[in-house]
């Protein structure tokens, strides 16, 4: 299952969707976009989660300064160069303009405007007090109205409950993938595929989990275990291969592609008692302690989550665990907090490698040196 | 067959260094430009070292390190330059706490555990020539000063021109315009050395370096960078007898450690 086959399969999958009259909504925002609402309206939510390379980053400079995050640059590069394997992006009917970060705001606006894709706005508050939760609900209502106007069909509560349950179930299965004891690269590919295809991938996920349980991997003894945090590893990025080449193995993805997404499960008792399904989406937003929108306690939560996992893992497995904090160059909120995160975890005896990089392949040698040196430190 | 010696080869982007260690003593060493053909240079240096010291291939263990550590196929094992420098500086200064290494293409800061002698943290500069030997080379060229006299020239001035650009290309034009505005070569040279020292010291402070700090790598031979680094850090720093060899020595010592227990 390499990246190219993933992308060509996705292309076929999206073409089929279009042929069946399904509209595709793409977005960059890493969390808090209500995919259940899009699904209930009959749209297919497509996350932009594709990593870049030198050419894609260069191609974005007609639109963005090179000091924009490397991921955002690559997203623009994908649209402005349209590499063949990404031609499925032509199928996108709407682009959600959101505000996960400054790059998100700029890039989603640029894509919508310069590549003529009608926009849907969805702005997310940064805090979780009563007023911001009310505001979040208003945004949900706006989006709902907009989607209904496009399709001419009402999104009934019944449909929305159905979608919420569907995504809930899907995430429960996805959570189990992150816990499997397999090679990190294999796990990442499954997580990426699942997050691109959505709940329709659930039967394959279940089969995969079953297969791994029946055929446990024996690869893990020699490599060094890594908890991976910070920016996600997107499709087509070779970082996970570099980590494995250096002798490491990511055993847990504490990133948006990984536990942040799959942990956003709405509890069953709320689903049973809540009358308005939009309130369930508000609740999901409120309870999302994993995403970078957990202001003002983002750093505290992050330290606590990592420490918790670390203690549990080292105690139950009796193995050392390293932490790699991945910082995509110019991803400001991850980058600004990285030295504090490292300091705080080091105080607790947890060593951290802050790995800042862009998608340039030219510095893979230096990247590998940093990874290997960190793994040697763990010996 | 019993191993008689341990060889460390540090294949840097500009120079390849090789050392031979036996019973914890530095017996022999060589340095040559890496050129584009890392592998051939490495093989030649290795063969030469064996021949001169009357050793067979089976009697030695070869550990590679440095930028080109993966390219030399005859190595028995490899280690990163971070771990190698940490070990190599302890050969000269057993009580070292931190290391700053400024090489041709990169610079790094390393903090070593006093208890275990192992690396506890490190930082490398990111894909940028500023803060490396390359920066000094480009600037020396712009001022038409031989690189081996550049540091001494800087120390002749008690004033430093201010170089604000962190990018080598912009700094080069800044230097030329300073020259045009009548600043002396000495002042500009001093400003250039200060700028590299400030940049590297900033990176090093971020990971908590402290005394005893050992300065190694090719640039450690430059007296002005050393002096300004001391001023930036606020304490005296040490330079080993062979600052360019610490990586190779470290690799050989690690080979010795791994094979004698
Ligand atoms: S990588 Fe960081 S800066 Fe870039 S879009 Fe994602 S969150 Fe925003």
């Amino acid at each position: 299952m390499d990246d190219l086959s993933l992308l060509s399969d996705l292309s076929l999958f999206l073409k089929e969707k279009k042929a069946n009259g399904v509209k595709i909504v793409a977005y960059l925002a890493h969390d808090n976009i209500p995919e259940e609402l899009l699904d209930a309206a009959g749209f297919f939510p497509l996350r932009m989660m594709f990593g870049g390379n030198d050419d894609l980053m260069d191609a974005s400079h007609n639109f963005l300064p090179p000091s924009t995050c490397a991921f955002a640059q690559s997203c623009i590069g994908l649209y402005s160069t349209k590499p063949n394997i990404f031609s499925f992006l032509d199928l996108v009917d709407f682009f959600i303009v959101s505000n996960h970060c400054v790059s998100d705001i700029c890039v989603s606006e640029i894509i919508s405007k310069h590549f003529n894709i009608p926009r849907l706005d969805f702005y997310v508050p940064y805090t979780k007090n009563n007023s911001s939760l009310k505001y979040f609900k208003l945004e949900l209502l706006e989006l709902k109205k907009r989607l209904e106007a496009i399709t001419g069909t009402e999104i009934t509560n019944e449909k929305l409950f159905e979608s919420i349950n569907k995504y809930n179930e899907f995430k429960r299965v996805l959570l189990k993938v992150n816990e499997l004891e397999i090679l990190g690269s294999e796990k990442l590919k499954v997580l990426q595929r699942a997050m691109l295809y959505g709940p329709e991938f659930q039967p394959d996920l279940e089969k995969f989990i079953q297969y791994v349980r029946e055929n446990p991997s024996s690869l893990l003894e020699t490599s060094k275990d890594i908890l991976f945090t910070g920016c996600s590893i997107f499709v087509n990025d070779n970082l996970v291969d570099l980590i494995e080449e250096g002798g490491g193995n990511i055993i847990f993805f504490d990133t948006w592609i990984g536990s942040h997404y799959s942990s956003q499960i709405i509890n069953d008792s709320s689903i049973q008692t809540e009358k308005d399904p939009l309130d369930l989406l508000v609740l999901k937003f409120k309870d999302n302690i994993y995403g970078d929108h957990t202001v003002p306690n983002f750093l505290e939560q992050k330290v606590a989550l990592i420490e918790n996992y670390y203690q549990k893992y080292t105690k139950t497995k009796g193995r050392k665990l390293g932490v790699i904090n991945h910082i995509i160059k110019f991803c400001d909120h991850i980058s600004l907090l990285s030295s504090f995160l490292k300091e705080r975890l080091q105080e607790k005896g947890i060593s951290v490698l802050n790995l800042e990089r862009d998608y340039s392949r030219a510095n893979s040698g230096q990247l590998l040196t940093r990874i290997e040196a960190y793994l040697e430190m763990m010996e | 067959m019993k191993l008689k010696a341990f060889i460390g080869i540090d294949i840097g982007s500009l120079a390849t260094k090789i050392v031979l260690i036996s019973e914890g003593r530095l017996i022999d060493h060589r340095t040559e430009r890496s050129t584009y053909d890392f592998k051939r240079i490495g093989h030649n240096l290795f063969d030469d070292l064996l021949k001169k010291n009357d050793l067979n291939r089976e009697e030695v263990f070869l550990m590679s390190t440095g930028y080109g550590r993966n390219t030399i196929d005859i190595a028995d094992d490899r280690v990163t330059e971070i771990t190698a420098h940490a070990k190599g500086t302890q050969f000269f200064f057993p009580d070292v706490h931190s290391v700053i290494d400024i090489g041709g293409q990169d610079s790094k800061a390393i903090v070593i555990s006093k208890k275990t002698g192992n690396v506890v943290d490190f930082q490398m500069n990111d894909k940028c020539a500023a803060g490396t030997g390359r920066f000094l080379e480009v600037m020396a060229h712009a001022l038409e000063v031989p690189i081996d006299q550049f540091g001494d020239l800087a120390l002749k001035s008690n004033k430093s021109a201010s170089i604000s650009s962190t990018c080598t290309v912009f700094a080069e034009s800044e230097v030329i315009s300073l020259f045009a505005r009548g600043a002396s070569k000495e002042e500009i040279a001093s400003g250039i050395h200060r700028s590299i020292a400030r940049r590297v010291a900033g990176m090093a402070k971020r990971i908590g370096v402290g005394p005893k700090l050992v300065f190694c790598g090719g640039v450690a031979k430059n007296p002005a960078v050393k002096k300004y680094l001391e001023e930036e850090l606020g304490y005296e720093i040490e330079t080993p007898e062979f600052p360019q060899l610490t990586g190779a020595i470290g690799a050989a010592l690690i080979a010795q450690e791994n094979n004698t227990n």
Side-chain angles (χ1 to χ4, degrees):
Chain A
M1 248 199 327
D2 59 18
D3 288 355
L4 291 182
S5 78
L6 190 163
L7 293 173
S8 59
D9 290 354
L10 179 69
S11 182
L12 290 174
F13 174 78
L14 293 176
K15 277 183 190 146
E16 211 178 296
K17 287 264 167 222
K18 283 288 271 203
N20 291 327
V22 176
K23 296 213 179 308
I24 297 167
V25 184
Y27 50 89
L28 204 80
H30 302 340
D31 52 12
N32 296 320
I33 295 296
E35 54 195 356
E36 300 87 342
L37 193 57
L38 300 171
D39 179 69
F43 290 72
F44 181 78
L46 174 68
R47 293 179 188 82
M48 294 291 292
M49 41 183 269
F50 312 108
N53 56 35
D54 300 84
D55 292 343
L56 292 177
M57 290 191 297
D58 284 349
S60 75
H61 297 162
N62 287 345
F63 301 91
L64 294 166
S67 54
T68 317
C69 92
F71 168 64
Q73 286 184 39
S74 300
C75 288
I76 295 277
L78 283 178
Y79 269 96
S80 59
T81 58
K82 295 256 168 63
N84 245 344
I85 194 77
F86 284 94
S87 57
F88 58 80
L89 291 174
D90 287 337
L91 304 173
V92 171
D93 297 283
F94 295 93
F95 210 95
I96 295 190
V97 176
S98 189
N99 60 327
H100 178 80
C101 58
V102 177
S103 300
D104 181 20
I105 302 172
C106 301
V107 167
S108 44
E109 282 203 13
I110 289 171
I111 290 178
S112 165
K113 185 168 168 217
H114 289 276
F115 303 101
N116 298 319
I117 307 173
R119 66 190 266 177
L120 295 170
D121 291 355
F122 189 77
Y123 294 107
V124 183
Y126 285 94
T127 54
K128 293 181 177 174
N129 54 29
N130 283 343
S131 333
S132 58
L133 295 179
K134 271 186 206 146
Y135 166 77
F136 188 73
K137 183 155 182 195
L138 288 175
E139 281 290 293
L140 287 170
L141 277 166
E142 274 303 309
L143 182 63
K144 181 170 178 274
K145 264 194 250 159
R146 184 77 207 282
L147 296 172
E148 287 170 339
I150 294 167
T151 58
T153 317
E154 188 199 349
I155 303 171
T156 60
N157 280 0
E158 197 190 339
K159 264 197 207 155
L160 189 48
F161 271 120
E162 199 183 296
S163 291
I164 287 173
N165 278 317
K166 186 163 86 178
Y167 274 90
N168 246 9
E169 280 318 301
F170 171 58
K171 286 174 187 169
R172 281 201 174 101
V173 180
L174 207 50
L175 265 183
K176 292 184 196 153
V177 174
N178 215 359
E179 275 145 28
L180 292 176
E181 295 191 348
I182 53 173
L183 209 55
S185 51
E186 204 182 336
K187 189 180 284 185
L188 180 67
K189 274 183 183 141
V190 175
L191 291 171
Q192 287 173 337
R193 196 171 268 255
M195 285 179 67
L196 280 170
Y197 282 74
E200 286 178 53
F201 192 60
Q202 190 171 323
D204 291 299
L205 267 186
E206 281 162 351
K207 267 191 232 148
F208 179 75
I209 294 169
Q210 180 74 17
Y211 175 82
V212 172
R213 284 184 181 155
E214 286 167 8
N215 303 277
S217 168
S218 54
L219 289 165
L220 302 168
E221 288 312 312
T222 50
S223 52
K224 309 225 170 67
D225 300 347
I226 297 295
L227 178 147
F228 190 85
T229 190
C231 299
S232 294
I233 305 180
F234 296 109
V235 176
N236 250 358
D237 182 359
N238 68 344
L239 181 60
V240 68
D241 305 318
L242 279 183
I243 292 174
E244 286 173 8
E245 192 185 325
N249 184 38
I250 302 176
I251 47 100
F252 191 74
F253 288 88
D254 173 47
T255 44
W256 177 66
I257 298 182
S259 68
H260 295 192
Y261 174 73
S262 41
S263 300
Q264 292 187 50
I265 296 170
I266 305 167
N267 65 61
D268 288 335
S269 60
S270 303
I271 296 181
Q272 271 146 25
T273 51
E274 197 56 72
K275 298 266 177 316
D276 182 354
L278 287 184
D279 284 329
L280 290 174
L281 298 181
V282 175
L283 182 71
K284 188 182 83 168
F285 168 71
K286 183 174 162 242
D287 288 348
N288 175 11
I289 55 163
Y290 302 94
D292 315 332
H293 272 267
T294 316
V295 176
N297 296 320
F298 174 62
L299 184 63
E300 307 303 319
Q301 310 261 29
K302 189 104 194 140
V303 171
L305 283 167
I306 294 178
E307 191 193 2
N308 210 354
Y309 187 90
Y310 180 91
Q311 300 297 3
K312 227 159 76 193
Y313 188 82
T314 49
K315 206 174 278 168
T316 53
K317 300 277 173 196
R319 290 168 66 91
K320 287 184 186 167
L321 181 66
V323 176
I324 295 184
N325 183 29
H326 177 216
I327 306 150
I328 290 181
K329 203 157 194 152
F330 301 117
C331 172
D332 289 340
H333 58 285
I334 299 288
S335 156
L336 290 173
L337 286 178
S338 60
S339 52
F340 297 107
L341 180 72
K342 180 171 170 174
E343 212 176 286
R344 294 284 305 278
L345 288 170
Q346 273 177 343
E347 280 163 18
K348 295 174 188 295
I350 304 169
S351 77
V352 179
L353 173 68
N354 274 337
L355 196 62
E356 186 176 8
R357 41 83 68 145
D358 60 16
Y359 289 125
S360 160
R361 303 274 154 141
N363 67 345
S364 314
Q366 218 220 36
L367 211 54
L368 183 61
T369 299
R370 285 192 268 167
I371 294 165
E372 283 185 358
Y374 178 71
L375 297 173
E376 285 168 3
M377 242 171 79
M378 284 172 66
E379 272 162 20
Chain B
M1 188 179 281
K2 191 173 175 302
L3 290 170
K4 287 190 177 159
F6 301 93
I7 298 183
I9 185 162
D10 177 1
I11 307 174
S13 51
L14 292 183
T16 297
K17 291 79 67 177
I18 192 163
V19 304
L20 187 135
I21 278 187
S22 181
E23 291 169 6
R25 284 187 311 120
L26 177 62
I27 307 293
D28 201 356
H29 62 89
R30 310 257 183 294
T31 300
E32 201 161 304
R33 271 195 97 79
S34 293
T35 73
Y36 61 92
D37 196 353
F38 289 163
K39 205 163 140 180
R40 188 181 55 81
I41 298 290
H43 282 213
N44 290 350
L45 285 171
F46 181 64
D47 291 344
D48 186 46
L49 205 63
L50 288 183
K51 209 163 136 203
K52 292 274 160 56
N53 289 280
D54 213 7
L55 288 161
N56 295 323
R57 176 65 186 91
E58 308 77 56
E59 291 172 327
V60 300
F61 190 97
L62 175 64
M63 179 75 87
S64 68
T65 189
Y67 176 74
R69 66 188 176 281
N70 298 323
T71 52
I72 180 144
D73 49 5
I74 47 169
D76 297 304
D77 205 352
R78 60 176 199 198
V79 66
T80 63
E81 50 271 42
I82 307 284
T83 310
H85 278 296
K87 183 59 79 183
T89 47
Q90 289 173 69
F91 179 76
F92 297 102
F93 303 97
D95 55 345
V96 56
H97 171 276
S98 304
V99 180
I100 285 180
D101 166 74
I102 309 183
Q105 303 272 357
D106 67 12
S107 50
K108 28 189 131 34
I110 306 166
V111 176
I112 299 168
S113 157
K114 282 217 162 120
K115 227 171 27 191
T116 62
N118 295 336
V119 175
V120 284
D121 206 354
F122 66 91
Q123 180 91 38
M124 287 173 83
N125 79 340
D126 188 37
K127 188 180 112 160
C128 168
T132 71
R134 181 80 190 126
F135 180 76
L136 284 177
E137 258 181 35
V138 172
M139 298 303 149
H141 182 77
L143 288 180
E144 297 174 347
V145 179
I147 185 73
D148 52 348
Q149 293 163 26
F150 202 27
D152 291 324
L153 180 77
L155 291 177
K156 282 191 185 139
S157 172
N158 44 18
K159 247 174 52 191
S160 306
S162 145
I163 312 282
S164 55
S165 298
T166 49
C167 163
T168 307
V169 180
F170 289 133
E172 192 178 1
S173 3
E174 209 177 328
V175 161
I176 292 164
S177 68
L178 279 168
F179 217 13
R181 273 190 272 134
S184 73
K185 255 190 189 184
E186 291 80 0
E187 261 172 70
I188 300 175
S190 173
I192 289 165
H193 285 79
R194 266 199 200 284
S195 121
I196 185 171
R198 201 171 303 133
R199 202 176 163 90
V200 175
M203 171 181 82
K205 281 181 195 164
R206 282 200 293 278
I207 58 159
V209 295
K212 179 179 270 176
L213 188 146
V214 175
F215 179 26
C216 58
V219 178
K221 289 183 194 155
N222 181 312
V225 176
K226 179 172 185 259
K227 179 170 183 277
Y228 298 149
L229 264 179
E230 286 174 336
E231 286 176 18
E232 290 294 329
L233 294 165
Y235 47 84
E236 279 185 15
I237 61 180
E238 306 280 352
T239 313
E241 190 185 346
F242 302 108
Q244 262 183 299
L245 297 185
T246 47
I249 292 173
L253 291 173
I254 293 165
Q256 180 178 279
E257 247 176 50
N258 293 352
N259 288 284
T260 41
N261 281 329

